[in-house]
Amino acid sequence: MTTDSDLIRSSRDDPQAFAALYDKYCRSVHRYAATRAGESVADDVMAQTFLVAFESRESYDHRSEDARPWLFGIATNLLRRHHRSEARRLKAFAKAAGREGYGDGTDRVADRLDAAATTASLATAMRKLSPADRECLLLYAWADLTYDGIALATGVPVGTVRSRLNRARRILRDAAALNNPEVKEIEHGRVSASSSNA
């Protein structure tokens, strides 16, 4: 079975061999970039990721047979350039969520307001995460990398990845609980006052 490491090694003598790596991962890199930065950026990030990877394939660490952490690390570095626009987008999303218009169905209004408030809170919390914590969370959630893969992609120890993910999860959970008291009460193992009054 040909590993990613084998493909990269082969591409030294036969550059066409690198195309197999592109075929294997281009969609997942594109999906990750599109989710983080939008479709308009994803094509460029994907193309640049594989261009950078091809040009730097001599520096690939062949102890790792799976090239995904390496590729997502490159993509993440490219996406850092878009970090400011990403932060602006989340800020605008948070504002827009609070200004949505609602239909006439009175039964749905409260649910929509709750959903909008939660969405706004989560978007605000995402924006307030440190870039490193947000990056770990998005690599975990959107790139589907393992803790080890995130560590390779970001160049930090696995323990740091665990800490960053725990911190990000706690912040997002707290943000969600602000708009849903039942979540907060369940987290603390107590009976919800709101549900007992229902």
Side-chain angles (χ1 to χ4, degrees), residues 3-182:
T3 66
D4 296 345
S5 178
D6 295 335
L7 291 172
I8 294 167
R9 189 176 285 114
S10 298
S11 72
R12 291 176 182 165
D13 299 323
D14 177 16
Q16 290 297 323
F18 201 81
L21 198 69
Y22 175 86
D23 292 341
K24 193 172 178 182
Y25 296 120
C26 68
R27 275 184 272 178
S28 57
V29 170
H30 187 276
R31 184 173 51 246
Y32 173 68
T35 307
R36 285 202 57 179
E39 287 287 335
S40 61
V41 174
D43 288 342
D44 288 342
V45 170
M46 182 189 69
Q48 285 183 325
T49 296
F50 283 96
L51 179 62
V52 170
F54 182 78
E55 290 176 346
S56 62
R57 65 191 189 280
E58 291 297 327
S59 64
Y60 183 77
D61 183 353
H62 290 280
R63 289 176 296 182
S64 174
E65 294 182 350
D66 181 3
R68 288 186 326 134
W70 179 58
L71 291 170
F72 280 107
I74 294 170
T76 298
N77 285 335
L78 293 169
L79 285 164
R80 284 179 182 151
R81 296 179 187 170
H82 298 282
H83 174 67
R84 287 187 179 169
S85 62
E86 181 183 61
R88 282 195 297 269
R89 195 163 54 93
L90 288 170
K91 185 177 180 180
F93 184 59
K95 285 183 179 176
R99 295 179 185 161
E100 287 286 326
Y102 299 100
D104 292 328
T106 53
D107 293 341
R108 295 176 158 185
V109 171
D111 289 342
R112 288 184 177 187
L113 286 171
D114 288 345
T118 300
T119 301
S121 295
L122 289 174
T124 300
M126 283 285 290
R127 190 169 44 85
K128 289 181 178 176
L129 289 176
S130 73
D133 290 355
R134 183 171 44 241
E135 211 164 74
C136 278
L137 182 68
L138 298 181
L139 282 168
Y140 183 79
W142 291 346
D144 203 25
L145 289 184
T146 62
Y147 284 27
D148 290 336
I150 296 169
L152 284 172
T154 58
V156 299
V158 173
T160 303
V161 171
R162 289 184 196 285
S163 297
R164 289 176 178 174
L165 283 175
N166 285 337
R167 188 170 37 248
R169 286 176 177 142
R170 180 177 38 78
I171 290 170
L172 293 180
R173 192 171 44 240
D174 289 349
L178 287 175
N179 295 303
N180 188 351
E182 290 182 22

